[in-house]
Structures are given as structure tokens and as C-alpha cells.
Amino acid sequence: QVQLVESGGGLVQPGGSLRLSCVVSGTSFSFRQMGWYRQGPGKKQRELVASIPSVGNINYADSVKGRFTISRDNVKKTMYLQMNSLKPDDTAVYYCHVIDTRFENFWGQGTQVTVSS
């Protein structure tokens, strides 16, 4: 019943910025954890980019600290990932992810981010 829809991906030059959005529907906006994962070309697993846990600090991958910012709007039921100073290594499919209060996992369909000259 939970549905996650990402948007905001695209092609950007190194040093540019993008903002990804994830709209959550079908449930309340209360989760154990919500965040963003990505899977780069040639990689077999998705890696955690940033997450907001119900308890504790916001988490960022070391590779994006200082460049990416995760946030949420509880009224719009939307999660965001602001990506600045983008690098070619940031090229990946980015996935919205939530763990609900019943410990069920939900994924968006993904949005492509390509950083290239």
C-alpha cells in the first residue's frame, strides 16, 4: 500500500547541483527510517547515501558529507536530497527507501543521476 515516487534526476555537469524528491503515499509519514540509496554503474549493490532514523542523528556516507543534505517535509509527506558539488562518482540510480513502523521495507523505482561533462 505504501508507494514511493522519486523525481528530480537528470544530467548535470561536475560541480553542479540537483534536488531529488520522494513523495510518500498510502500511509502516514511515520517511519523507523527514511533515506536515499544509490547504485552506481557496474556495482551489484545499493549503498546508503543518507538517512533519517526515528532515533539518533542523520547519517551520511563519507563520500557525500558536506555536499549532500537530506530533509523532509511532514506536511507534504516528501523527502528530499539536495546534492551539491556533484562529482562523476555520484553517477548512479538513486532510490528512495523507508522502513515503516512494522519494519517493512519499501523502495521507489529509482531516478537516474548522471554527472558528466
Side-chain angles (χ1 to χ4, degrees):
Q1 190 172 7
V2 174
Q3 184 177 7
L4 310 176
V5 179
E6 303 102 330
S7 63
L11 175 64
V12 64
Q13 294 185 348
S17 298
L18 287 172
R19 188 181 74 163
L20 306 183
S21 299
C22 174
V23 179
V24 181
S25 63
T27 188
S28 67
F29 204 55
S30 297
F31 300 99
R32 301 287 183 183
Q33 183 185 78
M34 58 188 73
W36 294 91
Y37 285 72
R38 68 185 182 187
Q39 186 168 7
K43 297 184 179 179
K44 300 193 181 303
Q45 298 187 67
R46 298 174 184 178
E47 66 171 344
L48 177 66
V49 177
S51 65
I52 305 173
S54 59
V55 177
N57 297 324
I58 293 175
N59 302 302
Y60 292 99
D62 288 341
S63 60
V64 308
K65 286 181 179 177
R67 300 188 297 119
F68 290 12
T69 303
I70 188 172
S71 62
R72 66 172 184 255
D73 186 319
N74 293 333
V75 175
K76 296 181 178 180
K77 298 177 66 175
T78 302
M79 180 174 61
Y80 304 96
L81 183 68
Q82 178 66 47
M83 305 185 294
N84 299 325
S85 301
L86 283 162
K87 304 175 180 180
D89 286 347
D90 296 318
T91 296
V93 178
Y94 285 72
Y95 297 90
C96 181
H97 171 257
V98 302
I99 304 173
D100 71 9
T101 56
R102 298 185 179 187
F103 301 99
E104 297 283 343
N105 287 265
F106 298 92
W107 296 91
Q109 292 298 306
T111 184
Q112 177 71 49
V113 173
T114 302
V115 185
S116 176
S117 298

